Amino acid sequence: MSHPAIAMLVRVRSSLPQDDVLSVMEQRAPEFRALKGLRQKYYLQDAESGEFAGLYLWDSPEALAEYRDSELRASIAASYRAEGEIKVEVYRVLMPLREAL
């Protein structure tokens, strides 16, 4: 099995209490599971800043581009009641440390 081609990190500061953020994550998870080309998504929290993040692993730049044009992506700020700018970083995956099991 080949490794993902693209990694994307999305960071958001939310005005919601942590339990509400977790509920939003759980409610939205089925929509992410249904995305073609999204191999994995990790839901994260920065222990220092309290910011929440999503680490996405995409099969291709095309799959990422399709997501970027979607309503699901556009709804991040409202769903999490974002405070300030949502930070997005995109990287090409050069090689994995370990092959997928």
Side-chain angles (χ1 to χ4, degrees), residues 68-98:
R68 281 186 152 172
D69 293 336
S70 73
E71 180 58 36
L72 185 59
R73 195 235 29 100
S75 66
I76 292 173
S79 295
Y80 290 100
R81 291 195 205 154
E83 294 179 335
E85 181 183 349
I86 295 175
K87 300 170 198 117
V88 179
E89 299 175 37
V90 177
Y91 303 92
R92 282 186 318 133
V93 177
L94 300 179
M95 67 172 247
L97 175 64
R98 294 182 179 93

PDB file of all heavy atoms in Angstrom, residues 68-98:
ATOM      1  N   ARG A  68     -11.090  21.232  -0.207  1.00  0.00           N
ATOM      2  CA  ARG A  68     -10.954  22.681  -0.005  1.00  0.00           C
ATOM      3  C   ARG A  68     -12.114  23.462  -0.619  1.00  0.00           C
ATOM      4  O   ARG A  68     -12.438  24.535  -0.155  1.00  0.00           O
ATOM      5  CB  ARG A  68      -9.632  23.176  -0.595  1.00  0.00           C
ATOM      6  CG  ARG A  68      -8.464  22.909   0.292  1.00  0.00           C
ATOM      7  CD  ARG A  68      -7.241  23.557  -0.282  1.00  0.00           C
ATOM      8  NE  ARG A  68      -6.311  23.884   0.782  1.00  0.00           N
ATOM      9  CZ  ARG A  68      -5.098  24.311   0.581  1.00  0.00           C
ATOM     10  NH1 ARG A  68      -4.649  24.490  -0.650  1.00  0.00           N
ATOM     11  NH2 ARG A  68      -4.317  24.590   1.596  1.00  0.00           N
ATOM     12  N   ASP A  69     -12.731  22.922  -1.641  1.00  0.00           N
ATOM     13  CA  ASP A  69     -13.855  23.591  -2.302  1.00  0.00           C
ATOM     14  C   ASP A  69     -15.202  23.172  -1.713  1.00  0.00           C
ATOM     15  O   ASP A  69     -16.245  23.573  -2.228  1.00  0.00           O
ATOM     16  CB  ASP A  69     -13.854  23.278  -3.805  1.00  0.00           C
ATOM     17  CG  ASP A  69     -12.667  23.895  -4.518  1.00  0.00           C
ATOM     18  OD1 ASP A  69     -12.111  24.891  -4.018  1.00  0.00           O
ATOM     19  OD2 ASP A  69     -12.293  23.373  -5.584  1.00  0.00           O
ATOM     20  N   SER A  70     -15.194  22.389  -0.640  1.00  0.00           N
ATOM     21  CA  SER A  70     -16.440  21.823  -0.115  1.00  0.00           C
ATOM     22  C   SER A  70     -17.081  22.686   0.970  1.00  0.00           C
ATOM     23  O   SER A  70     -16.421  23.502   1.626  1.00  0.00           O
ATOM     24  CB  SER A  70     -16.171  20.426   0.457  1.00  0.00           C
ATOM     25  OG  SER A  70     -15.465  20.523   1.689  1.00  0.00           O
ATOM     26  N   GLU A  71     -18.369  22.446   1.173  1.00  0.00           N
ATOM     27  CA  GLU A  71     -19.107  23.094   2.249  1.00  0.00           C
ATOM     28  C   GLU A  71     -18.588  22.619   3.608  1.00  0.00           C
ATOM     29  O   GLU A  71     -18.575  23.377   4.577  1.00  0.00           O
ATOM     30  CB  GLU A  71     -20.602  22.805   2.110  1.00  0.00           C
ATOM     31  CG  GLU A  71     -21.451  23.430   3.191  1.00  0.00           C
ATOM     32  CD  GLU A  71     -21.325  24.956   3.282  1.00  0.00           C
ATOM     33  OE1 GLU A  71     -21.182  25.619   2.236  1.00  0.00           O
ATOM     34  OE2 GLU A  71     -21.363  25.472   4.426  1.00  0.00           O
ATOM     35  N   LEU A  72     -18.156  21.374   3.687  1.00  0.00           N
ATOM     36  CA  LEU A  72     -17.618  20.834   4.932  1.00  0.00           C
ATOM     37  C   LEU A  72     -16.427  21.660   5.404  1.00  0.00           C
ATOM     38  O   LEU A  72     -16.338  22.033   6.571  1.00  0.00           O
ATOM     39  CB  LEU A  72     -17.234  19.362   4.747  1.00  0.00           C
ATOM     40  CG  LEU A  72     -16.767  18.612   5.989  1.00  0.00           C
ATOM     41  CD1 LEU A  72     -17.825  18.617   7.086  1.00  0.00           C
ATOM     42  CD2 LEU A  72     -16.390  17.186   5.615  1.00  0.00           C
ATOM     43  N   ARG A  73     -15.522  21.974   4.500  1.00  0.00           N
ATOM     44  CA  ARG A  73     -14.372  22.801   4.846  1.00  0.00           C
ATOM     45  C   ARG A  73     -14.812  24.207   5.221  1.00  0.00           C
ATOM     46  O   ARG A  73     -14.342  24.796   6.196  1.00  0.00           O
ATOM     47  CB  ARG A  73     -13.352  22.856   3.712  1.00  0.00           C
ATOM     48  CG  ARG A  73     -12.023  23.405   4.210  1.00  0.00           C
ATOM     49  CD  ARG A  73     -11.458  24.619   3.464  1.00  0.00           C
ATOM     50  NE  ARG A  73     -12.329  25.535   2.843  1.00  0.00           N
ATOM     51  CZ  ARG A  73     -12.692  26.731   3.366  1.00  0.00           C
ATOM     52  NH1 ARG A  73     -12.321  27.098   4.568  1.00  0.00           N
ATOM     53  NH2 ARG A  73     -13.458  27.546   2.699  1.00  0.00           N
ATOM     54  N   ALA A  74     -15.752  24.749   4.470  1.00  0.00           N
ATOM     55  CA  ALA A  74     -16.218  26.117   4.714  1.00  0.00           C
ATOM     56  C   ALA A  74     -16.924  26.252   6.060  1.00  0.00           C
ATOM     57  O   ALA A  74     -17.017  27.360   6.591  1.00  0.00           O
ATOM     58  CB  ALA A  74     -17.145  26.550   3.582  1.00  0.00           C
ATOM     59  N   SER A  75     -17.390  25.149   6.619  1.00  0.00           N
ATOM     60  CA  SER A  75     -18.159  25.202   7.863  1.00  0.00           C
ATOM     61  C   SER A  75     -17.312  25.073   9.122  1.00  0.00           C
ATOM     62  O   SER A  75     -17.850  25.092  10.230  1.00  0.00           O
ATOM     63  CB  SER A  75     -19.237  24.115   7.846  1.00  0.00           C
ATOM     64  OG  SER A  75     -18.645  22.829   7.870  1.00  0.00           O
ATOM     65  N   ILE A  76     -16.003  24.967   8.994  1.00  0.00           N
ATOM     66  CA  ILE A  76     -15.142  24.782  10.169  1.00  0.00           C
ATOM     67  C   ILE A  76     -15.305  25.924  11.166  1.00  0.00           C
ATOM     68  O   ILE A  76     -15.557  25.692  12.351  1.00  0.00           O
ATOM     69  CB  ILE A  76     -13.656  24.643   9.758  1.00  0.00           C
ATOM     70  CG1 ILE A  76     -13.421  23.342   9.010  1.00  0.00           C
ATOM     71  CG2 ILE A  76     -12.751  24.711  10.993  1.00  0.00           C
ATOM     72  CD1 ILE A  76     -12.036  23.214   8.422  1.00  0.00           C
ATOM     73  N   ALA A  77     -15.158  27.146  10.722  1.00  0.00           N
ATOM     74  CA  ALA A  77     -15.194  28.301  11.629  1.00  0.00           C
ATOM     75  C   ALA A  77     -16.507  28.368  12.400  1.00  0.00           C
ATOM     76  O   ALA A  77     -16.513  28.543  13.626  1.00  0.00           O
ATOM     77  CB  ALA A  77     -14.963  29.588  10.849  1.00  0.00           C
ATOM     78  N   ALA A  78     -17.618  28.207  11.717  1.00  0.00           N
ATOM     79  CA  ALA A  78     -18.921  28.282  12.384  1.00  0.00           C
ATOM     80  C   ALA A  78     -19.134  27.090  13.316  1.00  0.00           C
ATOM     81  O   ALA A  78     -19.640  27.252  14.431  1.00  0.00           O
ATOM     82  CB  ALA A  78     -20.039  28.352  11.351  1.00  0.00           C
ATOM     83  N   SER A  79     -18.748  25.904  12.888  1.00  0.00           N
ATOM     84  CA  SER A  79     -18.973  24.699  13.689  1.00  0.00           C
ATOM     85  C   SER A  79     -18.227  24.745  15.017  1.00  0.00           C
ATOM     86  O   SER A  79     -18.738  24.301  16.042  1.00  0.00           O
ATOM     87  CB  SER A  79     -18.533  23.451  12.917  1.00  0.00           C
ATOM     88  OG  SER A  79     -19.349  23.280  11.786  1.00  0.00           O
ATOM     89  N   TYR A  80     -17.018  25.275  14.981  1.00  0.00           N
ATOM     90  CA  TYR A  80     -16.193  25.322  16.192  1.00  0.00           C
ATOM     91  C   TYR A  80     -16.190  26.692  16.862  1.00  0.00           C
ATOM     92  O   TYR A  80     -15.449  26.910  17.813  1.00  0.00           O
ATOM     93  CB  TYR A  80     -14.755  24.903  15.867  1.00  0.00           C
ATOM     94  CG  TYR A  80     -14.658  23.435  15.557  1.00  0.00           C
ATOM     95  CD1 TYR A  80     -14.592  22.980  14.248  1.00  0.00           C
ATOM     96  CD2 TYR A  80     -14.658  22.489  16.574  1.00  0.00           C
ATOM     97  CE1 TYR A  80     -14.516  21.630  13.956  1.00  0.00           C
ATOM     98  CE2 TYR A  80     -14.581  21.139  16.295  1.00  0.00           C
ATOM     99  CZ  TYR A  80     -14.508  20.715  14.987  1.00  0.00           C
ATOM    100  OH  TYR A  80     -14.432  19.372  14.699  1.00  0.00           O
ATOM    101  N   ARG A  81     -17.004  27.615  16.337  1.00  0.00           N
ATOM    102  CA  ARG A  81     -17.024  28.990  16.850  1.00  0.00           C
ATOM    103  C   ARG A  81     -15.599  29.515  16.999  1.00  0.00           C
ATOM    104  O   ARG A  81     -15.134  29.861  18.083  1.00  0.00           O
ATOM    105  CB  ARG A  81     -17.776  29.082  18.166  1.00  0.00           C
ATOM    106  CG  ARG A  81     -19.257  28.846  18.002  1.00  0.00           C
ATOM    107  CD  ARG A  81     -20.009  29.284  19.217  1.00  0.00           C
ATOM    108  NE  ARG A  81     -21.262  28.550  19.292  1.00  0.00           N
ATOM    109  CZ  ARG A  81     -21.920  28.308  20.400  1.00  0.00           C
ATOM    110  NH1 ARG A  81     -21.477  28.755  21.541  1.00  0.00           N
ATOM    111  NH2 ARG A  81     -23.043  27.640  20.375  1.00  0.00           N
ATOM    112  N   ALA A  82     -14.931  29.539  15.869  1.00  0.00           N
ATOM    113  CA  ALA A  82     -13.522  29.922  15.828  1.00  0.00           C
ATOM    114  C   ALA A  82     -13.315  31.351  16.305  1.00  0.00           C
ATOM    115  O   ALA A  82     -14.086  32.244  15.983  1.00  0.00           O
ATOM    116  CB  ALA A  82     -12.980  29.770  14.410  1.00  0.00           C
ATOM    117  N   GLU A  83     -12.245  31.524  17.063  1.00  0.00           N
ATOM    118  CA  GLU A  83     -11.797  32.845  17.481  1.00  0.00           C
ATOM    119  C   GLU A  83     -10.540  33.155  16.673  1.00  0.00           C
ATOM    120  O   GLU A  83      -9.551  32.436  16.764  1.00  0.00           O
ATOM    121  CB  GLU A  83     -11.461  32.853  18.968  1.00  0.00           C
ATOM    122  CG  GLU A  83     -12.655  32.623  19.856  1.00  0.00           C
ATOM    123  CD  GLU A  83     -12.285  32.609  21.338  1.00  0.00           C
ATOM    124  OE1 GLU A  83     -11.119  32.301  21.683  1.00  0.00           O
ATOM    125  OE2 GLU A  83     -13.176  32.891  22.150  1.00  0.00           O
ATOM    126  N   GLY A  84     -10.588  34.189  15.881  1.00  0.00           N
ATOM    127  CA  GLY A  84      -9.426  34.540  15.073  1.00  0.00           C
ATOM    128  C   GLY A  84      -9.321  33.687  13.828  1.00  0.00           C
ATOM    129  O   GLY A  84     -10.249  32.983  13.428  1.00  0.00           O
ATOM    130  N   GLU A  85      -8.156  33.755  13.245  1.00  0.00           N
ATOM    131  CA  GLU A  85      -7.885  33.091  11.962  1.00  0.00           C
ATOM    132  C   GLU A  85      -7.654  31.592  12.138  1.00  0.00           C
ATOM    133  O   GLU A  85      -7.006  31.165  13.091  1.00  0.00           O
ATOM    134  CB  GLU A  85      -6.637  33.724  11.335  1.00  0.00           C
ATOM    135  CG  GLU A  85      -6.243  33.158  10.013  1.00  0.00           C
ATOM    136  CD  GLU A  85      -4.959  33.782   9.478  1.00  0.00           C
ATOM    137  OE1 GLU A  85      -4.502  34.791  10.030  1.00  0.00           O
ATOM    138  OE2 GLU A  85      -4.419  33.231   8.510  1.00  0.00           O
ATOM    139  N   ILE A  86      -8.194  30.813  11.224  1.00  0.00           N
ATOM    140  CA  ILE A  86      -7.896  29.384  11.171  1.00  0.00           C
ATOM    141  C   ILE A  86      -6.586  29.229  10.413  1.00  0.00           C
ATOM    142  O   ILE A  86      -6.417  29.782   9.330  1.00  0.00           O
ATOM    143  CB  ILE A  86      -9.040  28.614  10.492  1.00  0.00           C
ATOM    144  CG1 ILE A  86     -10.293  28.704  11.342  1.00  0.00           C
ATOM    145  CG2 ILE A  86      -8.642  27.163  10.251  1.00  0.00           C
ATOM    146  CD1 ILE A  86     -11.513  28.090  10.719  1.00  0.00           C
ATOM    147  N   LYS A  87      -5.655  28.492  11.001  1.00  0.00           N
ATOM    148  CA  LYS A  87      -4.335  28.316  10.391  1.00  0.00           C
ATOM    149  C   LYS A  87      -4.294  26.984   9.642  1.00  0.00           C
ATOM    150  O   LYS A  87      -4.671  25.954  10.194  1.00  0.00           O
ATOM    151  CB  LYS A  87      -3.257  28.351  11.465  1.00  0.00           C
ATOM    152  CG  LYS A  87      -3.233  29.662  12.230  1.00  0.00           C
ATOM    153  CD  LYS A  87      -2.311  29.558  13.429  1.00  0.00           C
ATOM    154  CE  LYS A  87      -2.636  30.676  14.381  1.00  0.00           C
ATOM    155  NZ  LYS A  87      -3.120  30.199  15.660  1.00  0.00           N
ATOM    156  N   VAL A  88      -3.840  27.033   8.404  1.00  0.00           N
ATOM    157  CA  VAL A  88      -3.770  25.832   7.573  1.00  0.00           C
ATOM    158  C   VAL A  88      -2.362  25.711   7.007  1.00  0.00           C
ATOM    159  O   VAL A  88      -1.832  26.663   6.428  1.00  0.00           O
ATOM    160  CB  VAL A  88      -4.791  25.893   6.404  1.00  0.00           C
ATOM    161  CG1 VAL A  88      -4.686  24.647   5.536  1.00  0.00           C
ATOM    162  CG2 VAL A  88      -6.207  26.077   6.931  1.00  0.00           C
ATOM    163  N   GLU A  89      -1.770  24.534   7.184  1.00  0.00           N
ATOM    164  CA  GLU A  89      -0.457  24.229   6.610  1.00  0.00           C
ATOM    165  C   GLU A  89      -0.594  22.944   5.798  1.00  0.00           C
ATOM    166  O   GLU A  89      -1.204  21.983   6.258  1.00  0.00           O
ATOM    167  CB  GLU A  89       0.577  24.024   7.712  1.00  0.00           C
ATOM    168  CG  GLU A  89       0.775  25.237   8.588  1.00  0.00           C
ATOM    169  CD  GLU A  89       1.714  24.962   9.748  1.00  0.00           C
ATOM    170  OE1 GLU A  89       2.700  24.209   9.567  1.00  0.00           O
ATOM    171  OE2 GLU A  89       1.452  25.483  10.839  1.00  0.00           O
ATOM    172  N   VAL A  90      -0.013  22.946   4.604  1.00  0.00           N
ATOM    173  CA  VAL A  90      -0.086  21.779   3.716  1.00  0.00           C
ATOM    174  C   VAL A  90       1.333  21.351   3.357  1.00  0.00           C
ATOM    175  O   VAL A  90       2.174  22.193   3.026  1.00  0.00           O
ATOM    176  CB  VAL A  90      -0.897  22.102   2.434  1.00  0.00           C
ATOM    177  CG1 VAL A  90      -0.905  20.918   1.487  1.00  0.00           C
ATOM    178  CG2 VAL A  90      -2.322  22.528   2.798  1.00  0.00           C
ATOM    179  N   TYR A  91       1.575  20.049   3.430  1.00  0.00           N
ATOM    180  CA  TYR A  91       2.897  19.488   3.159  1.00  0.00           C
ATOM    181  C   TYR A  91       2.791  18.310   2.202  1.00  0.00           C
ATOM    182  O   TYR A  91       1.832  17.546   2.265  1.00  0.00           O
ATOM    183  CB  TYR A  91       3.534  18.955   4.456  1.00  0.00           C
ATOM    184  CG  TYR A  91       3.657  19.976   5.545  1.00  0.00           C
ATOM    185  CD1 TYR A  91       2.643  20.129   6.488  1.00  0.00           C
ATOM    186  CD2 TYR A  91       4.771  20.788   5.641  1.00  0.00           C
ATOM    187  CE1 TYR A  91       2.745  21.071   7.499  1.00  0.00           C
ATOM    188  CE2 TYR A  91       4.885  21.730   6.652  1.00  0.00           C
ATOM    189  CZ  TYR A  91       3.867  21.857   7.577  1.00  0.00           C
ATOM    190  OH  TYR A  91       3.965  22.786   8.576  1.00  0.00           O
ATOM    191  N   ARG A  92       3.790  18.148   1.359  1.00  0.00           N
ATOM    192  CA  ARG A  92       3.937  16.909   0.586  1.00  0.00           C
ATOM    193  C   ARG A  92       4.560  15.879   1.506  1.00  0.00           C
ATOM    194  O   ARG A  92       5.499  16.184   2.239  1.00  0.00           O
ATOM    195  CB  ARG A  92       4.867  17.102  -0.615  1.00  0.00           C
ATOM    196  CG  ARG A  92       4.241  17.786  -1.784  1.00  0.00           C
ATOM    197  CD  ARG A  92       5.158  17.829  -2.993  1.00  0.00           C
ATOM    198  NE  ARG A  92       6.541  18.159  -2.649  1.00  0.00           N
ATOM    199  CZ  ARG A  92       7.610  17.514  -3.088  1.00  0.00           C
ATOM    200  NH1 ARG A  92       7.494  16.515  -3.931  1.00  0.00           N
ATOM    201  NH2 ARG A  92       8.813  17.867  -2.721  1.00  0.00           N
ATOM    202  N   VAL A  93       4.061  14.659   1.480  1.00  0.00           N
ATOM    203  CA  VAL A  93       4.655  13.583   2.261  1.00  0.00           C
ATOM    204  C   VAL A  93       5.780  12.981   1.422  1.00  0.00           C
ATOM    205  O   VAL A  93       5.545  12.482   0.315  1.00  0.00           O
ATOM    206  CB  VAL A  93       3.611  12.497   2.626  1.00  0.00           C
ATOM    207  CG1 VAL A  93       4.269  11.349   3.364  1.00  0.00           C
ATOM    208  CG2 VAL A  93       2.491  13.116   3.455  1.00  0.00           C
ATOM    209  N   LEU A  94       7.002  13.051   1.931  1.00  0.00           N
ATOM    210  CA  LEU A  94       8.154  12.557   1.180  1.00  0.00           C
ATOM    211  C   LEU A  94       8.380  11.070   1.386  1.00  0.00           C
ATOM    212  O   LEU A  94       8.700  10.350   0.445  1.00  0.00           O
ATOM    213  CB  LEU A  94       9.406  13.335   1.568  1.00  0.00           C
ATOM    214  CG  LEU A  94       9.332  14.846   1.297  1.00  0.00           C
ATOM    215  CD1 LEU A  94      10.606  15.524   1.749  1.00  0.00           C
ATOM    216  CD2 LEU A  94       9.051  15.113  -0.179  1.00  0.00           C
ATOM    217  N   MET A  95       8.232  10.621   2.629  1.00  0.00           N
ATOM    218  CA  MET A  95       8.374   9.192   2.928  1.00  0.00           C
ATOM    219  C   MET A  95       7.856   8.919   4.322  1.00  0.00           C
ATOM    220  O   MET A  95       7.931   9.786   5.194  1.00  0.00           O
ATOM    221  CB  MET A  95       9.807   8.710   2.799  1.00  0.00           C
ATOM    222  CG  MET A  95      10.769   9.279   3.838  1.00  0.00           C
ATOM    223  SD  MET A  95      12.379   8.481   3.759  1.00  0.00           S
ATOM    224  CE  MET A  95      12.359   7.637   5.338  1.00  0.00           C
ATOM    225  N   PRO A  96       7.303   7.737   4.548  1.00  0.00           N
ATOM    226  CA  PRO A  96       6.879   7.368   5.900  1.00  0.00           C
ATOM    227  C   PRO A  96       8.029   6.690   6.646  1.00  0.00           C
ATOM    228  O   PRO A  96       8.923   6.112   6.019  1.00  0.00           O
ATOM    229  CB  PRO A  96       5.761   6.365   5.643  1.00  0.00           C
ATOM    230  CG  PRO A  96       6.158   5.708   4.364  1.00  0.00           C
ATOM    231  CD  PRO A  96       6.858   6.779   3.554  1.00  0.00           C
ATOM    232  N   LEU A  97       8.014   6.797   7.957  1.00  0.00           N
ATOM    233  CA  LEU A  97       8.983   6.063   8.767  1.00  0.00           C
ATOM    234  C   LEU A  97       8.690   4.572   8.685  1.00  0.00           C
ATOM    235  O   LEU A  97       9.589   3.751   8.519  1.00  0.00           O
ATOM    236  CB  LEU A  97       8.918   6.525  10.234  1.00  0.00           C
ATOM    237  CG  LEU A  97       9.788   5.752  11.206  1.00  0.00           C
ATOM    238  CD1 LEU A  97      11.266   5.939  10.872  1.00  0.00           C
ATOM    239  CD2 LEU A  97       9.489   6.183  12.632  1.00  0.00           C
ATOM    240  N   ARG A  98       7.405   4.257   8.779  1.00  0.00           N
ATOM    241  CA  ARG A  98       6.968   2.852   8.723  1.00  0.00           C
ATOM    242  C   ARG A  98       5.902   2.708   7.646  1.00  0.00           C
ATOM    243  O   ARG A  98       5.091   3.606   7.455  1.00  0.00           O
ATOM    244  CB  ARG A  98       6.367   2.424  10.055  1.00  0.00           C
ATOM    245  CG  ARG A  98       7.364   2.409  11.175  1.00  0.00           C
ATOM    246  CD  ARG A  98       6.710   1.923  12.469  1.00  0.00           C
ATOM    247  NE  ARG A  98       7.674   1.881  13.535  1.00  0.00           N
ATOM    248  CZ  ARG A  98       7.893   2.884  14.403  1.00  0.00           C
ATOM    249  NH1 ARG A  98       7.184   3.991  14.304  1.00  0.00           N
ATOM    250  NH2 ARG A  98       8.785   2.767  15.341  1.00  0.00           N
TER     251      ARG A  98
END
